[in-house]
Amino acid sequence: MAMIKCPECGKEVSDKAAVCPNCAYPIQALKPDGVCQIKMTALQRGAFGGKQKAFMWANGKLVWEGLVGQIAEVFFNGPTSVEIQYKMSAMYYGGKCSGIIDPSKGKKYSVHTRQGVMKTVMELQRVDFIDAD
């Protein structure tokens, strides 16, 4: 769940709400235009697979948290700079990448990963479709 600003009153509201609890603005009507899917792709060979946590920040705020291998669905109302980080534990740092998600140019993105020297190399890329692995 992500918190978004209501375009009518400016108060923070859940992106899952049907309407703003403050002014009754229809939040669900916004979702089809700005909901983007980001596949948190694991390393080839499943180097830590589903145990590795994934985090996404936008404008300094945590907007999604889950596991590597999942598909994040996040609402963006325009081009937004994001940072994505994979982390296993306090002892293991998986890697991070940043990029711009623009719903007007594409609503499907994927984090491509490969093993680098002592860390995971990650890139955020726009894709035409998201496979289920």
Side-chain angles (χ1 to χ4, degrees):
M1 175 184 81
M3 298 300 284
I4 60 172
K5 284 194 177 190
C6 172
E8 185 70 23
C9 68
K11 300 257 181 172
E12 295 228 344
V13 61
S14 166
D15 66 338
K16 306 236 185 269
V19 296
C20 174
N22 187 55
C23 69
Y25 187 86
I27 300 298
Q28 287 295 330
L30 298 173
K31 288 185 81 171
D33 293 333
V35 172
C36 295
Q37 294 181 320
I38 303 98
K39 171 73 180 209
M40 303 297 167
T41 307
L43 282 170
Q44 305 296 61
R45 303 187 183 177
F48 286 103
K51 297 178 185 175
Q52 197 171 14
K53 291 186 179 181
F55 304 90
M56 183 186 324
W57 287 271
N59 301 321
K61 293 183 179 179
L62 183 65
V63 295
W64 186 84
E65 179 179 344
L67 297 174
V68 171
Q70 292 180 328
I71 298 172
E73 287 192 0
V74 183
F75 174 82
F76 297 104
N77 50 351
T80 306
S81 178
V82 298
E83 181 176 294
I84 297 169
Q85 179 183 26
Y86 287 3
K87 192 171 185 179
M88 175 82 172
S89 67
M91 300 298 289
Y92 175 76
Y93 169 72
K96 69 179 176 180
C97 66
S98 60
I100 295 179
I101 292 182
D102 187 351
S104 68
K105 293 185 178 178
K107 296 189 181 180
K108 297 187 185 308
Y109 292 81
S110 181
V111 176
H112 291 272
T113 59
R114 68 185 193 296
Q115 188 60 49
V117 178
M118 303 288 286
K119 68 176 184 175
T120 302
V121 179
M122 300 168 53
E123 299 173 325
L124 179 65
Q125 296 179 348
R126 188 165 40 94
V127 294
D128 293 328
F129 67 93
I130 294 177
D131 61 352
D133 283 343

